[in-house]
Amino acid sequence: MAESSTADRISQAALAILEAEGSEAVSMRRVADSVDITPMAIYHHFSNREALLDSVTNQQFATLLSYIEKRSMRGSPETQLISAMEAYIDYAFDRPRIFDYVFAQRRPGARRYPDDFRARRSPTLNPIADVVRAAMQTGQVKKNDVWEVALELWALTHGYVALYRAGRFNLSEKEFRALVRRALRRLILGLKA
């Protein structure tokens, strides 16, 4: 039990540093100081900095998935897809530096399209693909490549969020969200059968 507790404390410290200052600030020494252990003690739980950041990243995919699941995944495919994309925006606004690290920085071992996605290794894109697949099977959306359509919806939302985070919009958060919702509706309209 103590092993897992220490690993959890290490992960939480790394996550706090990552969110406060970005990935560059996460070092084994800095994390160890936060947890009040020696830097070498971290290596009993994580083989290196990348393994620690991978662990934190995987936990964050689970966190994002919980954002998606908290949103209503009921109703029409359009409602479900827009809800899921709004959950993605919620996550990006709630955890901006973690969002940047997880989704906008090159990371060793990050999942890659198409192989990892088609093999259902993406816990956060799987629910989107499932909605798209069901909508295609019921004839509500034109038959197409499920994973390409799911990726297109995600990429549209991600692109807007990345531009917003880079200061490219002179819009309030509410106006920005409305803009993304309209863009998603137009995209989904083009997919309808």
Side-chain angles (χ1 to χ4, degrees), residues 82-104:
I82 289 173
S83 288
M85 294 300 102
E86 287 176 339
Y88 185 74
I89 294 170
D90 293 343
Y91 178 86
F93 282 6
D94 288 350
R95 299 167 176 261
R97 286 200 173 109
I98 296 170
F99 172 86
D100 290 346
Y101 179 71
V102 171
F103 292 106

Side-chain angles (χ1 to χ4, degrees), residues 45-59:
H45 305 278
F46 301 96
S47 59
N48 55 37
R49 178 180 179 271
E50 287 70 33
L52 173 57
L53 286 171
D54 281 348
S55 173
V56 169
T57 300
N58 288 334
Q59 292 169 10

Side-chain angles (χ1 to χ4, degrees), residues 132-165:
V132 169
R133 180 177 289 107
M136 287 180 185
Q137 289 171 345
T138 59
Q140 295 173 306
V141 169
K142 295 174 200 164
K143 297 273 186 206
N144 209 313
D145 184 291
V146 169
W147 289 102
E148 286 184 12
V149 171
L151 188 65
E152 186 176 353
L153 290 158
W154 173 78
L156 179 131
T157 307
H158 178 79
Y160 273 99
V161 170
L163 289 168
Y164 189 86
R165 297 255 316 115

Side-chain angles (χ1 to χ4, degrees), residues 18-190:
L18 177 62
E19 182 54 53
E21 301 174 45
S23 62
E24 317 77 40
V26 178
S27 70
M28 297 303 237
R29 179 169 302 287
R30 182 91 184 275
V31 171
D33 288 346
S34 296
V35 182
D36 200 26
I37 60 175
T38 67
M40 290 309 293
I42 294 177
Y43 293 99
H44 293 291
H45 305 278
F46 301 96
S47 59
N48 55 37
R49 178 180 179 271
E50 287 70 33
L52 173 57
L53 286 171
D54 281 348
S55 173
V56 169
T57 300
N58 288 334
Q59 292 169 10
Q60 287 308 297
F61 281 111
T63 300
L64 174 54
L65 184 57
S66 74
Y67 273 65
I68 292 169
E69 290 169 346
K70 283 179 191 171
R71 290 263 183 176
S72 172
M73 289 304 283
R74 292 183 292 272
S76 70
E78 178 179 349
T79 300
Q80 292 179 60
L81 293 169
I82 289 173
S83 288
M85 294 300 102
E86 287 176 339
Y88 185 74
I89 294 170
D90 293 343
Y91 178 86
F93 282 6
D94 288 350
R95 299 167 176 261
R97 286 200 173 109
I98 296 170
F99 172 86
D100 290 346
Y101 179 71
V102 171
F103 292 106
Q105 291 182 13
R106 184 177 287 271
R107 292 181 295 106
R111 293 174 193 89
R112 294 180 174 266
Y113 184 85
D115 300 339
D116 291 328
F117 292 86
R118 291 184 189 282
R120 296 189 61 83
R121 292 186 194 113
S122 174
T124 53
L125 198 59
N126 288 344
I128 311 309
D130 293 344
V131 172
V132 169
R133 180 177 289 107
M136 287 180 185
Q137 289 171 345
T138 59
Q140 295 173 306
V141 169
K142 295 174 200 164
K143 297 273 186 206
N144 209 313
D145 184 291
V146 169
W147 289 102
E148 286 184 12
V149 171
L151 188 65
E152 186 176 353
L153 290 158
W154 173 78
L156 179 131
T157 307
H158 178 79
Y160 273 99
V161 170
L163 289 168
Y164 189 86
R165 297 255 316 115
R168 303 299 180 149
F169 289 98
N170 188 23
L171 300 172
S172 69
E173 182 180 329
K174 182 178 178 181
E175 293 168 326
F176 169 75
R177 286 175 177 273
L179 172 67
V180 177
R181 203 172 299 117
R182 288 192 303 271
L184 284 165
R185 283 197 172 108
R186 284 190 293 271
L187 175 59
I188 293 166
L189 181 64

